[in-house]
């Protein structure tokens, strides 16, 4: 019985050693898997990950998208001026009296680029570059701020012999005001500033929506002064 008992003990020891070796191998495998788990997951996910396509703009859709903005008003200038207007009352060639009106006016001028004028020939697209030639900046609108404008002085002359036509003279003064404030804004380079701001605005717009290099060029504006 003692011999059988010692043999059984030896067998149990061998089994324990075997189980211990297997457990050690499992622990080492789990440790190795833990150390390299992130890399394995990255490798596995990379096999199934879809690559993000690079969007390449083409000239026709790009032109329609930009033209959809229509007028790009980039510069607004407010001016104040005093504009005279007058009218005479005559008897034949003889002047009986003169009515004078001074109109204190505040006007607003908008300048920018009319993107509806953009054509497909103004856009050049390659795989890594978009080049756009913008139309020249111009005056997009002008108006009188009637709430902050008024008749400064109204004088019908000696014995009030001048014609009493204040509404007509005020309308005439307003027309002259629009001409004057536009001419003043033009002399102060409003179109040059509008060109620069339009260039920056279109560059920013396309940079945010395209991975291609953006080059925006401007066109030298023509003389914007107007005369009566």
């Amino acid at each position: 019985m003692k011999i059988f008992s010692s043999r059984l003990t030896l067998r149990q020891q061998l089994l324990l050693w075997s189980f211990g070796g297997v457990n050690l191998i499992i622990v080492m495998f789990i440790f190795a898997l833990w150390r390299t788990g992130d890399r394995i997951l990255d490798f596995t996910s990379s096999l199934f990950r879809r690559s993000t396509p690079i969007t390449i703009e083409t000239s026709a859709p790009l032109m329609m998208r930009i033209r959809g903005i229509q007028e790009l008003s980039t510069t607004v200038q407010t001016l104040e001026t005093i504009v005279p207007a007058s009218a005479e009352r005559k008897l034949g060639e003889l002047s009986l009296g003169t009515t004078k009106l001074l109109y204190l006016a505040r006007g607003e001028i908008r300048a920018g680029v009319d993107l509806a004028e953009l054509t497909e020939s103004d856009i050049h697209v390659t795989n890594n570059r978009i080049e756009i030639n913008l139309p020249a900046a111009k005056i997009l609108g002008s108006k009188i701020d009637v709430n902050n404008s008024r008749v400064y002085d109204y004088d019908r002359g000696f014995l009030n012999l001048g014609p009493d036509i204040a509404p007509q003279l005020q309308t005439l003064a307003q027309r002259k005001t629009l001409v004057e404030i536009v001419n003043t804004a033009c002399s102060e380079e409003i179109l040059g500033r509008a060109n620069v701001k339009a260039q920056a605005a279109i560059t920013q717009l396309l940079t945010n929506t395209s991975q291609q290099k953006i080059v925006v060029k401007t066109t030298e504006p023509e003389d914007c002064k107007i005369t009566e």
Side-chain angles (χ1 to χ4, degrees):
M1 294 294 294
K2 290 183 179 179
I3 296 173
F4 177 76
S5 177
S6 63
R7 287 179 180 177
L8 184 61
T9 302
L10 178 61
R11 185 179 298 171
Q12 289 176 345
Q13 290 177 356
L14 289 174
L15 287 174
L16 288 174
W17 290 342
S18 299
F19 282 125
V22 171
N23 290 335
L24 179 60
I25 293 172
I26 292 175
V27 170
M28 292 179 65
F29 176 77
I30 293 173
F31 178 76
L33 185 63
W34 174 72
R35 292 293 302 271
T36 60
D38 291 339
R39 281 175 288 178
I40 292 175
L41 288 175
D42 290 342
F43 173 76
T44 304
S45 61
S46 67
L47 294 176
F48 301 97
R49 187 185 299 126
R50 298 174 114 183
S51 59
T52 302
I54 298 176
T55 302
I56 303 297
E57 298 278 9
T58 56
S59 58
L62 183 61
M63 181 193 69
M64 297 303 296
R65 183 151 60 91
I66 296 175
R67 289 179 65 178
I69 304 174
Q70 297 182 351
E71 289 185 350
L72 180 61
S73 179
T74 58
T75 304
V76 178
Q77 185 169 345
T78 301
L79 296 170
E80 289 187 347
T81 185
I82 296 179
V83 178
S86 63
E88 283 187 326
R89 172 175 288 167
K90 288 188 174 183
L91 182 60
E93 294 297 322
L94 179 64
S95 177
L96 299 180
T98 301
T99 299
K100 297 179 180 180
L101 179 144
L102 291 178
Y103 189 66
L104 179 60
R106 175 179 291 181
E108 180 183 282
I109 307 95
R110 292 188 303 110
V113 174
D114 186 359
L115 296 175
E117 298 177 356
L118 197 69
T119 65
E120 196 166 347
S121 62
D122 295 320
I123 302 175
H124 306 280
V125 180
T126 62
N127 287 339
N128 57 2
R129 178 184 173 97
I130 297 176
E131 182 177 311
I132 298 177
N133 296 314
L134 292 179
K138 62 183 180 180
I139 300 297
L140 298 177
S142 59
K143 65 179 182 180
I144 295 175
D145 182 357
V146 294
N147 293 325
N148 291 290
S149 303
R150 61 186 177 86
V151 174
Y152 179 73
D153 186 52
Y154 181 66
D155 183 9
R156 296 179 59 195
F158 180 68
L159 297 179
N160 287 335
L161 295 177
D164 189 11
I165 51 172
Q168 295 92 321
L169 287 180
Q170 181 172 333
T171 300
L172 175 62
Q174 289 173 340
R175 290 202 303 267
K176 294 173 69 176
T177 296
L178 290 176
V179 174
E180 187 166 326
I181 61 176
V182 168
N183 288 343
T184 300
C186 289
S187 67
E188 295 179 357
E189 302 294 335
I190 188 174
L191 294 189
R193 288 183 277 121
N195 251 354
V196 171
K197 291 184 177 181
Q199 182 182 38
I202 295 298
T203 300
Q204 184 65 40
L205 170 69
L206 297 182
T207 299
N208 290 339
T209 58
S210 175
Q211 295 177 344
Q212 293 149 283
K213 180 180 179 181
I214 308 300
V215 178
V216 179
K217 298 181 179 180
T218 59
T219 302
E220 188 68 24
E222 299 178 358
D223 188 0
C224 72
K225 290 185 179 182
I226 58 176
T227 56
E228 293 180 287

